[in-house]
Amino acid sequence: MDAAATIAFLIAVIGYTVASTLFFGALLRRAAASSLRVARGALLGAVVAHAGLIVWSTFIVRHDPVGSMQFAVSAAGWVMAAGFLWAEPRYQVHALGALTGPIALALLVLAQFLSTPAWAPPISRFWLALHVTANLLGVGLFLLAGVASAFYLYVERSLKRKNPGLLPAGMPALDSLDLLAFRFLIFGYPFLTFGIVTGGLFFSELGGAGSASLGRAVLGYISWLFLGTVLVWRGALGHRGKKSAFGTLAGVFCVLLLLASYLVRGAVEEPAGHVTFERELGSQSA
Amino acid sequence: MIAVVGFSHHTAPIALREQFTLDEARENKLARTLVGTGAVGEIFFVSTCNRVELYAAAQRGAGHNAPPLTAALREAIIAESPALGPHLYEYSGSAALRHLFRVASSLDSMVVGEAQILGQLKQGYERAVARGSVGPILGQVFPQALRSAKRVRSETEIGAGQVSVPTVAVDLAARIFGNLKGHRAALVGTGEMGQMVGKLLRDQGARLTVVGRSEERSRPIAERLGAEYRSIFDLGDVVRAADVIVSSTSSEVPIFPLSAMTGLHRERRGRSLFLIDLAVPRDVDPRVGDLEGVFLYNIDDLSSAAQASRDVRALEAERAQKIVEEVLFDFEKRKSAAQVAPTIKALRDRAREAFSIELERSLRGKLRDLQPEQRAAVERMIDAGVNRLLHAPSTRLREGAGSGEPEEALEWARALTELFELEPVSSPEHTSAFPPFEEERVSSDDLSAERAPASLTAKET
């Protein structure tokens, strides 16, 4: 990392930390407007610095954003933080920042420890870039939906058990959390759908792949199906509440599992398609 | 010295409290009367439905004929309402300050932690400022009361939670739906507590429907609450549409049985429903609370939540009291330090004056040939000598006065004054120009003003 990138990284880390702390405070007790302004400012600073870091990584150092897990993890965190920044004043869900901020921070830091895999799949760079971007946007938005659903279940449980005293003063209203989770699912689902479709096309273009790739594809379809069911259940049929929240969490868990499987990809497998392509190249040059 | 005399819900029942209420005109009249006694220099009033208190500072240079401050305040109240005499309390000096800080911090309120009292206190003070009956003493004290109240609010959970059944119910509704504006609430039955909850929900912006068996009885209540009236036979439609239902009928059997609610719940398609059952025997089958998205609270549940908040506040009140003591200690420390400052200044002036006289004499005599620069150097040397000589006693005096036990330092100050024949410039408390009491603001109308109705006075709760 050069100096500018180090500074951007530090600003992002400090910004996420300050914002997380202040939003956590807003969860525990009703926050003063000035405190929320500082929290939003810190988060905005972190998001801008984080974006700068991603741009630096992509265009200056020229890490391949398509094949780089570093980019993927970092960008997922960025989408999540930016999505929260957009939703927080609109839905008055300051308290979600107590979880969103730390996750974005964790993904930012985690990205620094990931190396760029040597493997680059032999398919159209343009479509591959779109595929990765769509998936990352989807992951970021689903993470937010998952956070809102987790909070929803906690609030619902406290109210059902008649323990409202357990709810921190700054906890968002139950219906706001339900609505927010649904909105993020709606926004994220088209991206996931695009990612699933393009992923399927690449899978067949690579002439089939190893069992791990197949597992990832299946996991992708399951996530898509889960989240699609929740959307139909919640949106078209109008059912809300605990079942929707559990469905959202299950779908988000599958998406996270998918992301994690990409994280360990380089360590456990050598892509079958890649080998085939290399062999073909080798035989042609010979 | 400041003092407070008054009565509150702690000492006087409502039948007595309502005999003595203050509005602005009566405050003006009373302030003028009290200043006229020669005992009171500054005064402001606090008047709520739970307390009336007169905070006053003694008049500067009050003559020997002037009555003691607390006696003057007490007599002013008794003159109007003799029955209140045995119910009055009075504090002076530090005890008066502590009482003011406690009142401002809502530690003396009927509902500990309620927020309105601070606003009512500010209003009383602002009226006094506008009247011109606040001077340097109360002007120093009142910001400290605000400081204490703000610290208590921000550093403790004294205002946490809701402490009455109706407010707990409305707070829970907000926990479920957020902003209640536009949400539909239904009041089934016309029980008194149900009406209170309905009114609070409507005040929060909910659209209220009153459902009753008897139109003759229920419609006027609906109109008074600004609500729509529906017959009990429309209850199914009401349940389908409502977000919050408050039930307080005298029915002997549940009017929300599980079988009917299960079907209606299905039609609601998972929309959250908050059912508040205030009736005994209960109006809602307890099993209805097991339906997903239905939150059922009966009177015991709400009372428990209110009690839990009261318990939290009681614990926080102990922390709040410590804050009050800290602010009081800090204020008195600074006040004591300020009291010796004039003595220190007078001592230095006296020393400089003595040396200046001797210097002038020498400059006219043996030292008359000194050049201007040399004269200036000698003057600087004398000044430095005075500072060096008086540095240690000044420091000890200041530290002693600010130590929290300032009596000894104040005794030193008195001794210095006597030994060096100082004419101390008094502390601000004693010497600041007393603000002219603007008598012209008290009109003849005010003087003949009839007692204001209680409804016009500020409310504490």
Side-chain angles (χ1 to χ4, degrees):
Chain A
M1 258 199 266
D2 67 7
T6 306
I7 290 169
F9 177 75
L10 287 176
I11 290 173
V13 167
I14 292 168
Y16 282 137
T17 307
V18 170
S20 302
T21 308
L22 291 174
F23 280 126
F24 186 71
L27 169 67
L28 293 183
R29 54 195 304 170
R30 290 188 206 289
S34 56
S35 167
L36 285 177
R37 273 199 298 275
V38 174
R40 286 177 196 136
L43 188 62
L44 179 65
V47 165
V48 169
H50 194 161
L53 201 62
I54 291 171
V55 169
W56 171 85
S57 169
T58 308
F59 296 105
I60 298 173
V61 179
R62 292 201 166 279
H63 277 166
D64 180 3
V66 172
S68 163
M69 279 315 296
Q70 187 184 34
F71 172 82
V73 168
S74 183
W78 182 85
V79 170
M80 188 184 181
F84 173 73
L85 202 56
W86 173 82
E88 185 267 322
R90 286 171 178 76
Y91 295 90
Q92 296 296 302
V93 285
H94 333 297
L96 293 196
L99 207 52
T100 307
I103 293 176
L105 176 64
L107 292 176
L108 170 74
V109 174
L110 175 67
Q112 302 307 311
F113 297 103
L114 296 173
S115 59
T116 304
W119 177 63
I123 43 185
S124 161
R125 307 295 296 161
F126 174 73
W127 284 105
L128 193 57
L130 283 184
H131 167 78
V132 171
T133 306
N135 278 331
L136 291 178
L137 283 170
V139 168
L141 294 170
F142 290 145
L143 279 174
L144 280 169
V147 168
S149 294
F151 273 71
Y152 177 92
L153 289 172
Y154 176 69
V155 176
E156 199 265 356
R157 187 183 154 100
S158 301
L159 290 175
K160 270 282 189 192
R161 295 192 171 189
K162 299 176 181 176
N163 276 329
L166 293 179
L167 294 173
M171 186 62 88
L174 195 71
D175 273 16
S176 300
L177 292 167
D178 178 63
L179 183 65
L180 192 65
F182 179 58
R183 292 263 159 93
F184 280 125
L185 275 192
I186 288 183
F187 293 151
Y189 200 68
F191 293 114
L192 179 67
T193 306
F194 182 83
I196 292 287
V197 171
T198 49
L201 291 174
F202 297 155
F203 188 71
S204 66
E205 195 174 322
L206 288 170
S211 56
S213 295
L214 185 63
R216 275 199 297 273
V218 170
L219 200 55
Y221 292 132
I222 291 173
S223 312
W224 184 78
L225 207 61
F226 242 129
L227 293 169
T229 308
V230 171
L231 273 182
V232 172
W233 170 267
R234 172 71 173 76
L237 300 178
H239 294 291
R240 314 179 193 186
K242 203 160 74 171
K243 285 182 187 136
S244 291
F246 272 126
T248 304
L249 275 181
V252 172
F253 179 72
C254 290
V255 169
L256 285 178
L257 217 56
L258 193 61
L259 187 69
S261 75
Y262 277 100
L263 284 179
V264 296
R265 178 178 63 180
V268 299
E269 64 168 314
E270 186 180 9
H274 171 61
V275 174
T276 309
F277 188 69
E278 287 293 311
R279 281 181 188 153
E280 280 177 12
L281 275 180
S283 61
Q284 280 170 13
S285 59
Chain B
M1 184 186 77
I2 86 155
V4 57
V5 173
F7 57 89
S8 73
H9 57 281
H10 293 304
T11 61
I14 188 164
L16 286 175
R17 295 205 304 273
E18 64 193 6
Q19 287 183 17
F20 188 91
T21 58
L22 293 172
D23 64 0
E24 193 168 358
R26 295 196 67 222
E27 284 183 4
N28 289 342
K29 181 184 169 191
L30 196 56
R32 182 183 163 134
T33 306
L34 282 164
V35 171
T37 64
V40 175
E42 303 175 29
I43 187 160
F44 74 89
F45 305 91
V46 179
S47 176
T48 76
C49 62
N50 284 333
R51 73 179 65 243
V52 172
E53 291 177 339
L54 283 57
Y55 290 89
Q59 195 167 113
R60 180 170 59 108
H64 292 297
N65 294 332
L69 187 57
T70 51
L73 299 175
R74 176 182 277 277
E75 278 163 21
I77 297 173
I78 292 174
E80 295 210 25
S81 302
L84 277 167
H87 301 273
L88 294 177
Y89 48 79
E90 60 180 56
Y91 303 104
S92 54
S94 291
L97 288 175
R98 180 178 289 107
H99 180 75
L100 173 62
F101 293 1
R102 278 178 55 80
V103 169
S105 305
S106 190
L107 287 171
D108 199 57
S109 296
M110 183 180 273
V111 178
V112 171
E114 54 92 10
Q116 291 95 327
I117 183 62
L118 186 58
Q120 291 163 331
L121 205 57
K122 276 184 194 167
Q123 286 168 8
Y125 183 76
E126 280 162 9
R127 284 198 297 274
V129 170
R131 187 167 53 231
S133 68
V134 168
I137 302 172
L138 295 181
Q140 276 179 11
V141 165
F142 193 76
Q144 299 305 314
L146 294 187
R147 191 172 150 235
S148 166
K150 281 180 184 168
R151 276 196 60 193
V152 166
R153 281 271 148 205
S154 62
E155 295 175 26
T156 72
E157 295 286 326
I158 193 86
Q162 302 297 333
V163 291
S164 71
V165 166
T167 53
V168 165
V170 174
D171 187 55
L172 282 169
R175 289 276 190 189
I176 296 168
F177 301 105
N179 189 344
L180 293 177
K181 200 170 180 182
H183 283 277
R184 285 180 177 275
L187 172 60
V188 183
T190 52
E192 197 175 323
M193 194 176 285
Q195 288 185 47
M196 285 165 73
V197 177
K199 182 176 178 303
L200 287 174
L201 289 168
R202 190 210 58 201
D203 290 347
Q204 296 291 315
R207 290 150 64 194
L208 189 64
T209 301
V210 172
V211 181
R213 278 184 205 284
S214 156
E215 181 171 356
E216 193 183 354
R217 183 178 153 84
S218 303
R219 191 177 283 282
I221 292 171
E223 284 168 4
R224 189 158 44 79
L225 291 173
E228 176 195 7
Y229 166 74
R230 298 285 294 269
S231 161
I232 192 81
F233 299 109
D234 297 332
L235 194 56
D237 290 339
V238 170
V239 172
R240 277 185 206 96
D243 299 303
V244 182
I245 297 176
V246 186
S247 191
S248 61
T249 74
S250 51
S251 171
E252 292 294 322
V253 292
I255 59 169
F256 295 94
L258 180 65
S259 53
M261 288 303 286
T262 305
L264 290 167
H265 175 256
R266 207 173 294 124
E267 291 175 44
R268 292 174 57 87
R269 300 208 298 189
R271 268 173 47 231
S272 301
L273 174 64
F274 181 31
L275 275 168
I276 304 165
D277 188 354
L278 300 174
V280 180
R282 286 176 286 181
D283 281 344
V284 186
D285 186 324
R287 291 170 296 173
V288 172
D290 296 334
L291 297 173
E292 191 184 325
V294 175
F295 302 93
L296 170 61
Y297 281 68
N298 61 35
I299 187 78
D300 280 0
D301 301 328
L302 297 171
S303 299
S304 300
Q307 185 55 48
S309 295
R310 282 196 287 270
D311 292 346
V312 169
R313 288 189 182 196
L315 279 176
E316 292 300 298
E318 290 173 20
R319 289 177 57 208
Q321 182 61 40
K322 283 182 187 157
I323 292 172
V324 165
E325 294 299 333
E326 278 173 27
V327 174
L328 182 61
F329 178 77
D330 186 48
F331 176 62
E332 296 212 308
K333 205 169 82 171
R334 281 187 287 127
K335 203 174 75 174
S336 301
Q339 277 180 334
V340 298
T343 306
I344 294 170
K345 185 175 183 308
L347 184 64
R348 285 172 181 269
D349 288 349
R350 169 53 57 90
R352 283 203 185 91
E353 186 190 1
F355 280 113
S356 294
I357 291 168
E358 289 307 314
L359 179 64
E360 280 303 314
R361 190 176 293 159
S362 299
L363 289 175
R364 284 198 301 272
K366 288 180 184 172
L367 300 178
R368 64 178 173 276
D369 296 330
L370 287 184
Q371 296 302 308
E373 311 85 63
Q374 291 168 320
R375 288 181 172 218
V378 172
E379 281 170 6
R380 280 200 300 276
M381 183 190 74
I382 288 172
D383 218 30
V386 169
N387 284 338
R388 186 174 287 271
L389 180 68
L390 296 182
H391 175 73
S394 302
T395 306
R396 285 198 62 189
L397 210 49
R398 271 198 212 96
E399 285 176 354
S403 66
E405 291 180 0
E407 290 73 19
E408 194 180 14
L410 293 174
E411 194 53 47
W412 292 342
R414 276 191 286 274
L416 284 170
T417 304
E418 203 170 318
L419 289 172
F420 289 92
E421 295 178 330
L422 304 177
E423 290 177 9
V425 183
S426 301
S427 67
E429 184 165 335
H430 299 114
T431 60
S432 292
F434 188 75
F437 186 74
E438 295 173 26
E439 292 195 356
E440 65 275 14
R441 290 192 183 205
V442 185
S443 67
S444 55
D445 288 345
D446 293 334
L447 294 173
S448 60
E450 291 298 317
R451 171 169 296 183
S455 60
L456 290 180
T457 59
K459 299 290 181 195
E460 188 170 337
T461 53

